Amino acid sequence: MQWEVVIGLEVHVQLTTKSKIFSGASTAFGATPNSQACAVDLALPGTLPVLNEQAVNDAILFGLAIDADICRDSVFERKNYFYPDLPKGYQTSQMDKPIVGHGVVEIRLEDGSTRNIRVHHAHLEEDAGKSLHEDFHGMSGIDLNRAGTPLIEIVSEPDLRSAEEAVAYLRKIHSIVTYLGISDGDMSQGSMRCDANVSVRLKGEEEYGTRAEIKNINSFRFVERAIKVEAQRQIDLIEDGGKVVQETRLYDSDKNETRSMRSKEEANDYRYFPCPDLLPVHIEQSLIDSLQKQMPELPDAKRQRFETEYGLSTYDASLLTAERSIADFFEACSKVAGDAKLAANWVNGELSAALNREGKALKDSPVSAEQLGGLIVRIRDNSISGKIAKQVFEALWNGDGQSADEVIEAKGLKQVSDTGALEAMVDEVIAANPAQVEQYRAADDGKRKKLIGFFVGQIMKASKGQANPGMVNQLLNKKLSD
Amino acid sequence: MPSHTVADLLRGLAAGDFSSEEITQQYLDAIADRDGQINSFITVTREQALEQARAADNARQRGNAGALCGLPIAHKDIFCTEGVRTSCASKMLDNFIAPYSATVVNNMASAGAVMLGKTNLDEFAMGSSNETSYYGTVRNPWNTDRVPGGSSGGSAAAIAAGLAPAATGTDTGGSIRQPAALCGLTGLKPTYGRVSRYGMIAFASSLDQAGPMARSAEDCALLLQSMAGFDERDSTSMDVRVDDYAGALDQDLRGLKIGLPKEYFSAGLDPAIGDAVHAALEEYRKMGAETVEISLPHTELAVPCYYVIAPAEASTNLSRFDGVRYGYRCENPADLDDLYTRSREEGFGEEVKRRILVGTYALSAGFYDAYYRKAQQIRRLIKQDFTDAFKQVDIIAGPTTPNPAFGIGEKVSDPVTMYLEDIYTIAVNLAGLPALSMPVGFAGELPAGMQLIGRDFDEGRLLAAAHQYQQRSDWHLRTAPDCA
Amino acid sequence: MSLEQGDIAKLARLARIRISEESSEELRQRISDILGMIDTMQAVNTDAVDPMANPHDATQRLRADVVTEVDQRDDFQRIAPATEDGLYLVPKVID
């Protein structure tokens, strides 16, 4: 049987406002427990919410970025349920009139094809606090610092058809929100979290299968694995004659399995209704227009520009534009280097590998865009070979020098292009290897090309790699033919 | 002293006839002597009051006297007061020492008011009789077998008994005007958004409004002046200029058009109250006002509409009382669920639980449209009734309550009958309009109140109209027996 | 609208209020009475009427994104039923 997986994602994105969505408490990450939970966040009796302007602007920016309608009179509602990390006993969220309406996100798959994924809506809401389960004599500890941090929840239609598509979609959302600068998108700190609605059906079937919701997945990798393992669980279940039940499940990354969250099984009735402490948020066209003007270049537009302006391949341009920080780095580097293709190769190649190897983010890269650009300049003017360039990069990475020039100078890595010095070296190698010279001279053109490599190698060895390979080749050709 | 008005006291303080410390001491003594009988205070802040009084006297000496400098007042125990228990008359908050003060409390303190203590109320302001307080029933000073009304019954009884010259109240469905009427006082519910709700423990957020209670309209004008104003901490606070209420009291009422809703003078109105109101209206005509009959056709729907909206909002406003961060927590909870369900069972009284369940019902899946949404639609019809009426008239007048103070225990077992007592006051909250109640006579030995309803933010006109009447009558100066 | 015992149990569950068996019947009766009174609303046709959530039909004012609050944890936790290391303690939360 041919199964099709159907996935819809609900992505929660923490906004990078300075203060909370409804209070003046700080949203800074990592403060001591409850030191950033003010009277409003703690839901002290008598406290009231006032909406943060920046959170509204951020949500509108996101809406504009996915070509969505902005609701001109959106409404905050109370979602009622009891949980210790939810101080008011309700979450202030949006239901009937979310600020961002239908939109579209284009995803690009590995084979280069693209698909449009529809966004049902995106709404503003407040984050909850955290329950810490370390044992306090059989009790849990509640930290409400996170309570009231602004979130946008982006709800997709069930348009995704594989775990890979889901990841591509999530990465795209990540790149949009970080391009807009409305979130740091840091999944490890919970700035971006994802719930996946997963169901399966036979290929060609019209009706959706019963879905399970996998809650709180906190990395790209886990999204992929959780969806795969959940889809397989459902397929196995159905093939064994069972039925999928609609429920909330949790992904256990250690065991790579999903399991039912029985404690949340209880039929919920959230009793949504308009929050009487907040009024409808009226948005003027003039605000939308002014935000539209502030809109930065978005990933798709930037990728296209990189292809046309720099002549890069779609693949390279996609890699470089996945994150705004990478794109900015590339453009700064390319400007100094004076060669976009070389810059792209170095950013996507050596730099990216080094970052991966050390698990570093680009913002923590020890090599700056200007340093890398300076290095490329020296490759272009033949001061160093590609091979030496890697050594220079390594040195810059380790902090052994402020610039490529400084490293080249200090370590004496400058390529030998002095004809006299090179001629001497070539003569020496020819004199030292008469047998090979004999062989070379006896060979035809085809073979000669291979045999010359031996001599080049010897010379590079003698020069510790600093001989200009082009000149060496030229000299050898000339001398060996004499 | 007990029959002194706020205006008298402020004049005396300004003239140096007495110090704030002296009068504060006298009120504190009166509370100590006589509140055992009335039960109008939950907490008396004796030391703090005397300290504030001395500070006020000093400020006055330095020529730094605020508008209410040295005036002793009481706050309904629904306003958070930093460092002082703020119970909302509930076991749930019996141990709650508020870590901050309500905007109203701060505003009045900045004007120099001295806080005598916190007055009793129906638990979480849910009631019209002050019988649902965790701290016991409040008694009506005019007849201690009768209720003082509610929910601001403690504030009303304290003033009527001469234990405070003025107090704050809150009004969600009549909770300032009804006890004012039942205790022979003047009380004003301002326009929704006129006075900040920050720090006032929420009952029904879209209806709640704080206001002054005192003997006279002039007193209410003086108090409102300090209470009112835009507050950036309250999203529903309206940024509308605060008029000079006291300065505008001397208005000629000639040509004032007073609308008399026929629905407010129908069957069910106690004849003695009806007579008192009619006599007062005759005075208004003598002053040159014109009375015209009008209709507020959706009046009957106000009570059912209110009893959906108020409990629905309350049911979720009260979810924060969960035994986790403050307030009552049950002993030895077996698990999280036990912590919630038992803390809330033990911490809330019967009426509060009832309203939470009604509100939960009105919002629950499958019923929302038939109840909550329907009530919000009817709310608009009710507001429209008033909007139409105010095209013809300047103010609307009628009785505040259909009956005078009822007996303690008389209606506790029949909530619906009790709810219907609020028939004349509730529509005003749904429409967000300002309204005041003032004494206009007696039904037997018990005070009768008349309500004046105004256009949005037209408190000044209401206060002036009441003041002009009070210049020609002395009902507002009568004191309860044994309280003189 | 007359409620049944099961309805009361469901409402009590949603509202997280334990209702003792003794009080349940009286509560059912009283709430049914209240709902009966409320049901008089149903006679009115409101099809063309916009719901009114706020008496002034006002709109939300926005606050500048500025941190205005300072750490008052000690004050706030002084009145808490149970805390440790700055955390509020509750019986174990099971996900």
Side-chain angles (χ1 to χ4, degrees), chain B residues 262-275:
Chain B
K262 62 176 188 218
E263 294 82 2
Y264 285 26
F265 292 89
S266 56
L269 174 62
D270 180 285
I273 293 184
D275 291 347

Side-chain angles (χ1 to χ4, degrees), chain A residues 134-385:
Chain A
E134 295 101 75
D135 203 13
F136 293 95
H137 345 284
M139 309 279 272
S140 288
I142 308 296
D143 176 8
L144 296 171
N145 278 349
R146 199 180 67 180
T149 299
L151 297 176
I152 45 173
E153 179 175 338
I154 304 152
V155 180
S156 84
E157 297 284 2
D159 284 355
L160 300 157
R161 291 290 174 271
S162 68
E164 291 77 10
E165 287 190 10
V167 172
Y169 169 82
L170 194 59
R171 285 198 187 278
K172 189 58 176 286
I173 295 287
H174 183 270
S175 85
I176 292 170
V177 298
T178 51
Y179 264 69
L180 293 173
I182 62 174
S183 176
D184 64 21
D186 190 337
M187 290 190 89
S188 67
Q189 291 187 358
S191 303
M192 212 169 123
R193 312 191 289 273
C194 171
D195 301 339
N197 286 298
V198 179
S199 65
V200 297
R201 64 179 173 188
L202 285 175
K203 259 228 156 80
E205 194 95 2
E206 288 271 312
E207 296 250 315
Y208 292 127
T210 307
R211 65 172 198 265
E213 185 181 16
I214 316 171
K215 279 273 182 204
N216 259 326
I217 322 175
N218 59 7
S219 83
F220 293 113
R221 193 156 46 99
F222 290 166
V223 166
E224 183 163 359
R225 289 169 61 187
I227 290 171
K228 279 191 169 148
V229 72
E230 173 58 20
Q232 195 55 51
R233 183 191 71 86
Q234 292 184 12
I235 291 167
D236 292 347
L237 187 65
I238 297 168
E239 288 184 343
D240 287 349
K243 261 190 162 173
V244 176
V245 287
Q246 189 168 337
E247 61 179 352
T248 304
R249 299 179 71 86
L250 198 69
Y251 176 66
D252 180 336
S253 55
D254 293 335
K255 296 185 184 153
N256 191 34
E257 62 178 30
T258 66
R259 61 163 188 272
S260 183
M261 291 171 79
R262 300 218 179 275
S263 63
K264 290 205 171 170
E265 275 311 84
E266 196 170 23
N268 265 319
D269 180 351
Y270 292 122
R271 289 158 285 138
Y272 278 97
F273 80 110
C275 178
D277 288 328
L278 292 162
L279 303 170
V281 183
H282 181 72
I283 293 163
E284 300 285 353
Q285 185 61 44
S286 57
L287 174 63
I288 297 175
D289 293 344
S290 93
L291 288 168
Q292 185 78 65
K293 280 193 201 115
Q294 293 170 28
M295 181 75 68
E297 186 182 32
L298 291 171
D300 290 336
K302 204 180 276 280
R303 178 181 48 74
Q304 267 169 13
R305 180 168 65 81
F306 279 18
E307 287 179 38
T308 52
E309 187 176 328
Y310 300 120
L312 300 178
S313 69
T314 305
Y315 177 77
D316 275 340
S318 297
L319 284 179
L320 290 172
T321 54
E323 281 179 43
R324 184 171 166 179
S325 57
I326 299 175
D328 290 348
F329 189 101
F330 159 74
E331 289 207 282
C333 173
S334 168
K335 199 171 162 192
V336 175
D339 185 324
K341 281 189 182 167
L342 260 181
N345 288 343
W346 274 86
V347 173
N348 285 338
E350 208 66 22
L351 177 71
S352 158
L355 290 169
N356 276 340
R357 191 172 57 234
E358 298 197 10
K360 277 194 159 87
L362 182 62
K363 67 175 164 45
D364 302 320
S365 167
V367 178
S368 71
E370 289 67 27
Q371 286 173 324
L372 186 57
L375 174 61
I376 293 168
V377 168
R378 291 300 161 238
I379 300 171
R380 290 186 58 219
D381 71 5
N382 282 327
S383 296
I384 51 173
S385 66

Side-chain angles (χ1 to χ4, degrees), chain A residues 22-24 34 38-51 77-90 96 139 142 144 266 268-279, chain B residues 80 93 96 99-100 192 196-202 204-206 232-236 238 312-313 315-322 324-326 329 336-337 340 344 359-361 363-365 368 372 376:
Chain A
F22 298 121
S23 82
N34 289 308
C38 73
V40 174
D41 306 328
L42 292 175
L44 289 186
T47 55
L48 296 170
V50 184
L51 181 59
E77 304 202 38
R78 293 182 179 177
K79 178 184 182 182
N80 294 283
Y81 65 96
F82 284 85
Y83 210 66
D85 63 12
L86 190 70
K88 295 188 292 294
Y90 55 82
D96 246 9
M139 309 279 272
I142 308 296
L144 296 171
E266 196 170 23
N268 265 319
D269 180 351
Y270 292 122
R271 289 158 285 138
Y272 278 97
F273 80 110
C275 178
D277 288 328
L278 292 162
L279 303 170
Chain B
C80 284
L93 291 177
F96 180 65
Y100 78 104
Y192 183 80
S196 169
R197 294 190 299 116
Y198 193 80
M200 184 178 120
I201 299 178
S205 309
S206 76
E232 58 183 21
R233 285 182 178 272
D234 173 3
S235 295
T236 62
M238 301 288 282
E313 292 182 4
S315 71
T316 95
N317 279 338
L318 270 58
S319 292
R320 63 188 60 197
F321 303 107
D322 59 3
V324 175
R325 297 163 313 285
Y326 49 78
R329 172 183 283 202
L336 185 60
D337 211 57
Y340 285 148
R344 290 166 63 79
T360 303
Y361 181 81
L363 293 175
S364 61
Y368 179 85
Y372 193 73
Q376 298 279 47

Side-chain angles (χ1 to χ4, degrees), chain C residues 16-72:
Chain C
R16 294 294 186 278
I17 298 176
R18 202 179 76 114
I19 303 289
S20 66
E21 264 185 50
E22 309 90 85
S23 57
S24 180
E25 174 50 27
E26 195 195 338
L27 203 51
R28 187 195 67 77
Q29 189 57 50
R30 295 249 175 112
I31 292 177
S32 295
D33 290 350
I34 295 167
L35 294 177
M37 181 269 286
I38 288 170
D39 273 332
T40 57
M41 286 192 316
Q42 307 303 343
V44 189
N45 184 327
T46 52
D47 289 353
V49 184
D50 258 355
M52 187 173 92
N54 173 276
H56 302 308
D57 286 325
T59 56
Q60 181 64 34
R61 185 167 31 82
L62 302 177
R63 177 178 63 78
D65 181 25
V66 181
V67 175
T68 53
E69 302 298 313
V70 294
D71 178 8
Q72 286 182 272

Side-chain angles (χ1 to χ4, degrees), chain A residues 6-11 62 66-68 100-107 115-122 154-161 165 169 173 201 208:
Chain A
V6 175
I7 306 150
L9 291 189
E10 294 168 14
V11 185
F62 177 77
I66 61 163
D67 274 331
V100 175
H102 301 298
V104 178
V105 170
E106 186 190 84
I107 60 169
R115 279 198 65 205
N116 280 340
I117 306 302
R118 292 169 303 156
V119 169
H120 178 270
H121 77 269
I154 304 152
V155 180
S156 84
E157 297 284 2
D159 284 355
L160 300 157
R161 291 290 174 271
E165 287 190 10
Y169 169 82
I173 295 287
R201 64 179 173 188
Y208 292 127

